Amino acid sequence: MTITQLKYVLAVAEHQNFTKAAQKTFVTQPTLSMQIQKLEDQLEVLIFDRSKKPIELTEIGKKIVNQAKNIVDEANRIQDIVDQQKGFIGGEFRLGIIPTVMPTLLPMFLKAFTNKYPKVHLKIEELNTDDIIQKMADGHLDAAIAATPLKLDFIKERALYYEPFVGYVPETHRLFPKKAIDVKDLNINDILLLEDGHCFRDGVINLCNASKGSYEDSFQLESGSFETLVKLSDEGLGMTLLPYMHTFDLQKEQKKNLHHFNEPTPAREVSIIYPKSELKIQIIDALYQVVSGIVRGAIAFQDVKIISPITK
Amino acid sequence: MTITQLKYVLAVAEHQNFTKAAQKTFVTQPTLSMQIQKLEDQLEVLIFDRSKKPIELTEIGKKIVNQAKNIVDEANRIQDIVDQQKGFIGGEFRLGIIPTVMPTLLPMFLKAFTNKYPKVHLKIEELNTDDIIQKMADGHLDAAIAATPLKLDFIKERALYYEPFVGYVPETHRLFPKKAIDVKDLNINDILLLEDGHCFRDGVINLCNASKGSYEDSFQLESGSFETLVKLSDEGLGMTLLPYMHTFDLQKEQKKNLHHFNEPTPAREVSIIYPKSELKIQIIDALYQVVSGIVRGAIAFQDVKIISPITK
DNA sequence: TAATTACTATAAATTTTATTTATCATTTAT
DNA sequence: ATAAATGATAAATAAAATTTATAGTAATTA
C-alpha cells in the first residue's frame, strides 16, 4: 500500500469515474486501473463496484476511503510540521470567499497579506457557501471566508468580524421617514433580495422571520449583485438590505437613503472557516491576523444580534 | 514521501543506527541511507543529526517521527478495517505476558483460544512490565497481559480478573497460628520477595506500605520464581505471598501453609492492555472474551482491594 | 439493431524508482 | 596506531510505476 494508491482511490471515489480522476491526478487512466487493482488485491477486497454506472464505492470501500483521507491528511501534515518549525509561511493556499464578501473584503486585505507573506501563493475562488462546504469536504480548499455559524462537525470557525445589516430605503418607500429602522418594521414582501444561493439572502429571510418561499406568492425582483438591487430600489421597486461594508462605495446621493437599525443591530458573522484537520494552520493564523486587524478599523463596535446564514 | 520511507525513519529512530535498522527492516543499509536522504531533501530538513554518535534525532526529526508513527498506524488500520468488515479474525498477533501470570494463565486459555481462532498466529513473549511498555511504545506488541493500573496515556487497559494475594506461612513462622491473616500483620522484613523487575514484588512492597528499598538494610533472599520462594519458605527463611492462581499446583502438604487474607482481600488487577491506536482490536476483543470467560470459573468473587503494581 | 459513445481493463514497452553490491571516508574503540 | 564500526556514495541491477496502444463492454443514439 502506498500513499499514491490511496490518493488515486480518493480521486476515483470523488469523481466516480476513472478517466476524470486520472486527469485530475495528472496520470493516465490505466495507471489508476492498475494501481487500484493492486491495492484491492493486497487487501483482498473490492473498493469499487464497477458494475454500477457511474461507478460506486462498496460498503467496505467507503470505510477505506474515510481512512485513506485520514492518512493522506496526516501525510500532508508532515510538510506542515516542517514549515512550522522553520517559521516558513508559504506554499499554495486555496481560499474560498462568498460573493457578498469578496468585492468589499478582498481589496482591503489582499495587498497587505501578500506583502507580509510573499511566499504564500493564494488561489482565491469566489464560491457560495454550499460549494465551499463541498470543496472543503473533498479537500480542495484550505480555508474559506463565509458567513457563520454553519455548525458543521468537520469545519472549524473563527470569527473575523460582525457586519451590520443596513437598510437602503428609497424616498418613495413607507419607511423613508423613519430615521432608524427596526426589525419589526420589515416586510419580506417589499425587500429586494439577492438571487437564490447567496447566504446573505437567507440571512435576510431569517431576519424577517419568514420561511424560505413564504413570500413567493407575490412577485419578487431578484438579482446577483447589490449594485443592481440598489438601482432597482432607486427605481422605486422596494427597499433592500446591504451588508455594512457595501455601503462604503455608494454615491453621496444614495447614502442619504441608508437607514441604520436600532441596537441590537442585526448583523452577519463573517468567519474564516477551515477543516478540523487544521492543515496549513500557520497560514490560516496569518490570514486571520491580517484580516481581523484590517477590519477592526473599518467597523465600529456595537451591540449586535447575529443572524444565521442558513435557512432550513 | 512514501509509507516505506516513513517506516525506515521509524526504524532508524528506534535503533539509533542505520545498520541495525536495515537488518530489522530486511533491506541493506544503503537503502536506508538513500531513502531517508531523499525524504530529507524533499522536506528540506534534516531528520537525523549524523554528527552525534550514536545518531540522534533533530528537534524537528522528533516531531516527524511522531507524525510518521501516526501515519504508519493509520495505514496499518486499513487492513484492520477490511478484516473487521469481513469478520476475519486472523494474522500475526504479538502478545506480551508478565512472568508472574504466564505459567498459570497461559495453559488455561491458550488451547481454547487457538481452537476458536485458528487463523490468529500468536507470538507470545514473556516480558516484565517495563519491557512491555517499551515494546508497545515502539509498536512491537499488539497487546499484553499485565498487572494494572499503569496509568499510561498511550495505553488502554481492560481488566480480565482480580487475583487475591495469598500468604504462604511455614509452621515455624509467628503468623502460622492465625487462621486468616491481615495486612497489618505483615512485616516486609520477613517476607521473601521475587527479584527486582517483577511487578508482583512491587505490589507486595506497596501492600506492606514500605517504600522501595526501606527494607534493604536487613539481609533478604530473593528469587525469580514462586517455586523457589516456597521452598525457601519451607526451609524456615520466612513467609511469602503468592498470587491466588499460583496456589493451585502446590502439593497437598504445602497447601496447609496457605493463609488467606481477611476481606477486603488484597489483590492484583490483571488486565489486557493495548495501545490507544486500537489496531487489531478485533483480536484484542476475542482474547478478552476467551480469557475472562475462562478465569471467571477459576476465581470466586470476593471483596477485593486492588494493590498498585508500581512503586515510585 | 447497428453504430457510436463512454467507459474500464489488459498487454507490452518504457521510464522511473528502489534496492543491492562494492567501496570509500570517518569516527570510535582498543 | 590499528582495527572495527558506521554511514555515504557510485554503479549495476531489480522492481515498480507509468504510458501507449488496444481490446472489451456496457449504455446511448441514429
Side-chain angles (χ1 to χ4, degrees):
Chain A
M1 176 171 48
T2 67
I3 294 173
T4 309
Q5 284 170 348
L6 298 179
K7 285 181 181 168
Y8 292 165
V9 168
L10 292 183
V12 174
E14 186 190 342
H15 297 101
Q16 297 197 308
N17 178 312
F18 277 71
T19 314
K20 280 175 199 152
Q23 288 166 351
K24 293 287 178 182
T25 47
F26 306 106
V27 290
T28 59
Q29 169 266 316
T31 301
L32 293 196
S33 277
M34 295 176 87
Q35 286 308 112
I36 289 178
Q37 272 180 49
K38 203 169 157 187
L39 182 60
E40 287 177 324
D41 287 351
Q42 253 176 26
L43 298 176
E44 295 184 296
V45 78
L46 284 178
I47 298 171
F48 295 101
D49 179 349
R50 294 160 173 83
S51 70
K52 303 272 180 58
K53 312 278 153 135
I55 226 163
E56 271 180 27
L57 283 165
T58 59
E59 273 313 299
I60 196 167
K62 287 177 196 165
K63 293 181 182 172
I64 290 174
V65 162
N66 275 335
Q67 183 62 8
K69 271 187 193 155
N70 277 348
I71 296 170
V72 171
D73 270 0
E74 294 303 308
N76 288 334
R77 196 188 304 278
I78 284 197
Q79 186 64 62
D80 250 44
I81 289 168
V82 171
D83 287 352
Q84 196 146 26
Q85 183 77 6
K86 284 192 193 165
F88 171 82
I89 307 261
E92 184 179 287
F93 190 80
R94 298 158 303 174
L95 180 69
I97 307 186
I98 56 172
T100 53
V101 162
M102 187 87 158
T104 47
L105 187 65
L106 191 60
M108 291 175 81
F109 79 81
L110 188 59
K111 199 175 282 179
F113 184 82
T114 52
N115 276 341
K116 191 160 181 191
Y117 303 104
K119 286 177 186 159
V120 176
H121 180 66
L122 276 183
K123 283 199 168 182
I124 298 175
E125 262 190 290
E126 182 172 309
L127 296 164
N128 61 38
T129 307
D130 290 345
D131 295 335
I132 284 173
I133 292 167
Q134 185 57 53
K135 287 215 170 196
M136 208 168 267
D138 289 340
H140 298 316
L141 276 184
D142 297 309
I145 295 175
T148 48
L150 297 175
K151 289 173 185 160
L152 291 166
D153 59 357
F154 71 98
I155 284 178
K156 283 201 173 188
E157 306 177 351
R158 211 181 308 170
L160 289 164
Y161 58 91
Y162 298 90
E163 186 176 22
F165 289 36
V166 181
Y168 184 86
V169 184
E171 280 189 47
T172 58
H173 194 274
R174 64 178 165 86
L175 287 179
F176 187 78
K178 289 197 85 167
K179 196 177 163 196
I181 56 180
D182 208 88
V183 175
K184 294 190 297 291
D185 301 330
L186 299 178
N187 177 356
I188 188 70
N189 288 296
D190 71 352
I191 296 177
L192 300 170
L193 292 173
L194 289 179
E195 63 197 13
D196 210 1
H198 291 281
C199 59
F200 190 80
R201 170 202 169 96
D202 294 330
V204 173
I205 293 171
N206 284 332
L207 178 63
C208 298
N209 241 318
S211 72
K212 213 172 185 173
S214 75
Y215 51 89
E216 301 230 16
D217 23 342
S218 80
F219 175 70
Q220 289 292 321
L221 274 168
E222 297 184 345
S223 157
S225 81
F226 291 116
E227 211 185 337
T228 313
L229 289 187
V230 167
K231 276 182 190 153
L232 293 172
S233 185
D234 286 339
E235 296 294 321
L237 292 166
M239 66 171 289
T240 192
L241 293 177
L242 304 175
Y244 177 65
M245 292 204 291
H246 272 266
T247 65
F248 293 176
D249 37 35
L250 288 176
Q251 288 158 7
K252 222 173 193 175
E253 201 56 32
Q254 296 176 312
K255 284 191 176 163
K256 289 177 184 158
N257 294 336
L258 293 176
H259 289 230
H260 292 266
F261 279 89
N262 292 315
E263 297 199 9
T265 315
R268 62 173 176 177
E269 180 181 69
V270 175
S271 298
I272 183 164
I273 67 176
Y274 49 95
K276 272 239 172 72
S277 62
E278 303 210 357
L279 290 170
K280 309 207 186 183
I281 191 73
Q282 326 91 271
I283 301 182
I284 292 168
D285 284 342
L287 197 59
Y288 174 83
Q289 291 303 332
V290 170
V291 175
S292 64
I294 281 182
V295 176
R296 207 168 293 133
I299 302 186
F301 181 79
Q302 50 188 302
D303 184 13
V304 129
K305 181 180 188 306
I306 300 166
I307 306 303
S308 167
I310 306 168
T311 57
K312 297 292 130 31
Chain B
M1 176 169 49
T2 67
I3 294 173
T4 310
Q5 284 171 347
L6 297 179
K7 285 180 181 167
Y8 291 165
V9 168
L10 292 184
V12 173
E14 185 189 342
H15 297 100
Q16 299 196 308
N17 178 313
F18 276 71
T19 314
K20 280 173 199 154
Q23 287 166 352
K24 294 286 177 182
T25 47
F26 306 105
V27 290
T28 58
Q29 169 265 314
T31 301
L32 293 195
S33 278
M34 294 176 89
Q35 287 307 113
I36 289 178
Q37 272 180 50
K38 201 169 156 189
L39 181 61
E40 288 177 324
D41 287 351
Q42 253 175 26
L43 297 176
E44 296 185 294
V45 78
L46 284 178
I47 298 172
F48 295 101
D49 180 349
R50 294 159 173 82
S51 70
K52 303 272 179 57
K53 308 280 154 141
I55 224 164
E56 271 180 27
L57 283 166
T58 59
E59 273 313 300
I60 195 166
K62 288 177 195 165
K63 294 182 181 174
I64 290 173
V65 162
N66 275 334
Q67 184 62 8
K69 273 187 190 153
N70 277 348
I71 295 170
V72 172
D73 271 0
E74 294 301 309
N76 288 335
R77 196 188 303 277
I78 283 197
Q79 186 65 61
D80 250 43
I81 289 169
V82 171
D83 288 352
Q84 197 145 23
Q85 182 77 7
K86 283 191 193 166
F88 171 82
I89 307 262
E92 185 180 288
F93 189 80
R94 299 158 302 174
L95 179 69
I97 307 186
I98 56 171
T100 53
V101 162
M102 187 87 160
T104 47
L105 187 64
L106 191 59
M108 294 175 79
F109 78 83
L110 187 58
K111 198 176 282 178
F113 184 83
T114 50
N115 275 342
K116 192 159 182 192
Y117 302 104
K119 287 179 185 157
V120 176
H121 180 67
L122 276 183
K123 284 200 165 181
I124 297 175
E125 263 190 288
E126 183 171 309
L127 296 164
N128 61 37
T129 308
D130 290 344
D131 295 336
I132 284 173
I133 292 167
Q134 185 58 52
K135 287 215 172 196
M136 208 168 268
D138 289 340
H140 297 317
L141 277 183
D142 297 310
I145 295 175
T148 47
L150 298 175
K151 290 173 185 160
L152 292 166
D153 59 358
F154 71 100
I155 285 178
K156 283 199 173 188
E157 305 178 352
R158 213 182 307 171
L160 290 164
Y161 58 91
Y162 298 90
E163 186 175 24
F165 289 36
V166 181
Y168 185 86
V169 184
E171 282 188 46
T172 56
H173 194 274
R174 61 178 168 86
L175 286 179
F176 188 78
K178 291 197 82 166
K179 196 179 162 194
I181 55 180
D182 208 89
V183 175
K184 293 191 296 291
D185 301 329
L186 299 177
N187 177 355
I188 189 71
N189 288 296
D190 73 353
I191 296 177
L192 299 170
L193 292 173
L194 289 179
E195 63 198 13
D196 210 1
H198 290 281
C199 58
F200 189 80
R201 169 201 170 98
D202 295 331
V204 173
I205 293 171
N206 284 333
L207 179 62
C208 300
N209 241 320
S211 71
K212 212 171 182 173
S214 75
Y215 52 90
E216 300 228 18
D217 21 343
S218 78
F219 175 70
Q220 289 293 321
L221 275 167
E222 298 184 346
S223 159
S225 81
F226 291 114
E227 211 185 337
T228 313
L229 289 187
V230 168
K231 278 181 189 153
L232 293 172
S233 185
D234 286 339
E235 297 293 322
L237 292 166
M239 65 171 291
T240 191
L241 294 177
L242 305 175
Y244 177 65
M245 293 203 291
H246 273 265
T247 65
F248 293 174
D249 38 34
L250 289 176
Q251 289 159 6
K252 223 175 194 176
E253 201 57 33
Q254 295 177 312
K255 283 192 177 162
K256 291 177 185 159
N257 294 337
L258 292 177
H259 290 229
H260 292 264
F261 279 90
N262 292 315
E263 298 199 8
T265 316
R268 62 172 174 175
E269 179 181 68
V270 176
S271 300
I272 183 163
I273 66 175
Y274 50 93
K276 272 240 172 71
S277 63
E278 302 209 357
L279 289 170
K280 310 208 186 184
I281 191 72
Q282 325 92 271
I283 302 182
I284 292 168
D285 285 342
L287 197 60
Y288 173 83
Q289 292 302 332
V290 170
V291 175
S292 63
I294 282 183
V295 176
R296 208 168 293 135
I299 302 187
F301 180 79
Q302 49 188 302
D303 185 15
V304 128
K305 180 181 189 306
I306 299 166
I307 306 302
S308 167
I310 305 167
T311 56
K312 297 293 132 30

